[in-house]
Amino acid sequence: TQLLEQSPQFLSIQEGENLTVYCNSSSVFSSLQWYRQEPGEGPVLLVTVVTGGEVKKLKRLTFQFGDARKDSSLHITAAQPGDTGLYLCAGEVIQGAQKLVFGQGTRLTINP
Amino acid sequence: DAGVIQSPRHEVTEMGQEVTLRCKPISGHNSLFWYRQTMMRGLELLIYFNNNVPIDDSGMPEDRFSAKMPNASFSTLKIQPSEPRDSAVYFCASRYDREVTEAFFGQGTRLTVV
């Protein structure tokens, strides 16, 4: 059973369109991170959200942490081919050890 | 710092053989994670060390898998005996465990068991 469910798992859209990726769980997280992974490389951190309801912007990317700290979303405005990649959400598990668990990822393709 | 260093980058082995994957975390980091990534299951946490001590190994699939961290600058993940279903990319990540911090990943080891 996946602790973090990402949707959609695959998304292919045209350049200039907007999109939203969702990361959902029944568990509460102390923080949530979004990573991006390129082929042949490890994931690289994009952003960390800590407070319920928090919104962070990174150029055309907007990240939101749910009020109950169980879910998050990533919105990309006017997608560009350079946004193509695997996007992963990762939650910091509260109980016991501070381990970082990942969703399955959203494979995003932006077509020129 | 050169980042998290994993070796080998690629490993092809026959079923039944022992495989050892190696990781050198970033100097000063006190937490180390081993993950396995496949298309079907995504990025699964196998085991997590804090200050060289295994804290949570609930993700280790079975007794064929073992991990050690003899010191702060080195960790190994061993599979013995290996099976074709172990084929995946194995990542090591490290971070400094205070409040909320970024996990830095190595480039991974692509393991193929034939």
Side-chain angles (χ1 to χ4, degrees):
Chain A
T1 302
Q2 200 79 13
L3 192 59
L4 279 164
E5 296 286 343
Q6 278 188 245
S7 61
Q9 290 192 30
F10 298 92
L11 183 60
S12 179
I13 62 172
Q14 292 301 118
E15 182 177 0
E17 293 183 7
N18 302 331
L19 66 107
T20 302
V21 175
Y22 299 93
C23 178
N24 295 301
S25 178
S26 57
S27 300
V28 177
F29 297 101
S30 59
S31 67
L32 198 134
Q33 299 179 332
W34 284 91
Y35 289 74
R36 177 175 163 175
Q37 186 178 15
E38 302 291 345
E41 302 291 331
V44 176
L45 181 70
L46 293 173
V47 78
T48 300
V49 284
V50 179
T51 308
E54 182 177 0
V55 176
K56 280 193 175 178
K57 291 193 174 184
L58 193 67
K59 296 183 181 178
R60 294 175 293 101
L61 278 60
T62 301
F63 304 85
Q64 183 162 9
F65 201 10
D67 290 341
R69 306 210 316 273
K70 293 183 178 181
D71 54 83
S72 181
S73 64
L74 157 60
H75 182 79
I76 301 180
T77 303
Q80 298 178 2
D83 297 327
T84 293
L86 180 66
Y87 290 82
L88 297 151
C89 65
E92 190 91 44
V93 177
I94 288 182
Q95 76 273 12
Q98 283 187 289
K99 61 184 182 182
L100 198 60
V101 292
F102 281 79
Q104 285 185 300
T106 295
R107 194 165 296 279
L108 176 64
T109 303
I110 309 300
N111 303 300
Chain B
D1 201 311
V4 176
I5 299 173
Q6 290 186 245
S7 64
R9 286 294 310 274
H10 303 273
E11 176 81 34
V12 180
T13 191
E14 290 185 347
M15 182 173 63
Q17 295 298 307
E18 176 180 299
V19 175
T20 299
L21 311 181
R22 296 173 176 79
C23 176
K24 182 181 185 320
I26 292 174
S27 177
H29 284 187
N30 63 347
S31 290
L32 184 140
F33 304 82
W34 281 101
Y35 291 91
R36 177 173 68 176
Q37 188 173 40
T38 61
M39 284 292 290
M40 290 294 293
R41 301 170 72 91
L43 202 60
E44 300 173 277
L45 177 63
L46 301 177
I47 188 169
Y48 157 54
F49 291 87
N50 186 258
N51 294 320
N52 312 338
V53 176
I55 302 298
D56 187 334
D57 65 355
S58 59
M60 295 286 261
E62 47 198 276
D63 292 345
R64 297 184 297 107
F65 286 70
S66 63
K68 293 182 180 179
M69 192 164 186
N71 56 63
S73 58
F74 185 65
S75 177
T76 59
L77 178 67
K78 184 179 294 186
I79 308 172
Q80 165 63 18
S82 58
E83 296 182 4
R85 61 191 167 122
D86 301 331
S87 297
V89 181
Y90 290 80
F91 285 101
C92 173
S94 72
R95 70 177 181 180
Y96 181 54
D97 201 9
R98 60 166 172 83
E99 296 183 355
V100 181
T101 57
E102 175 180 0
F104 291 84
F105 283 76
Q107 290 187 297
T109 295
R110 181 174 293 276
L111 174 65
T112 303
V113 183
V114 297

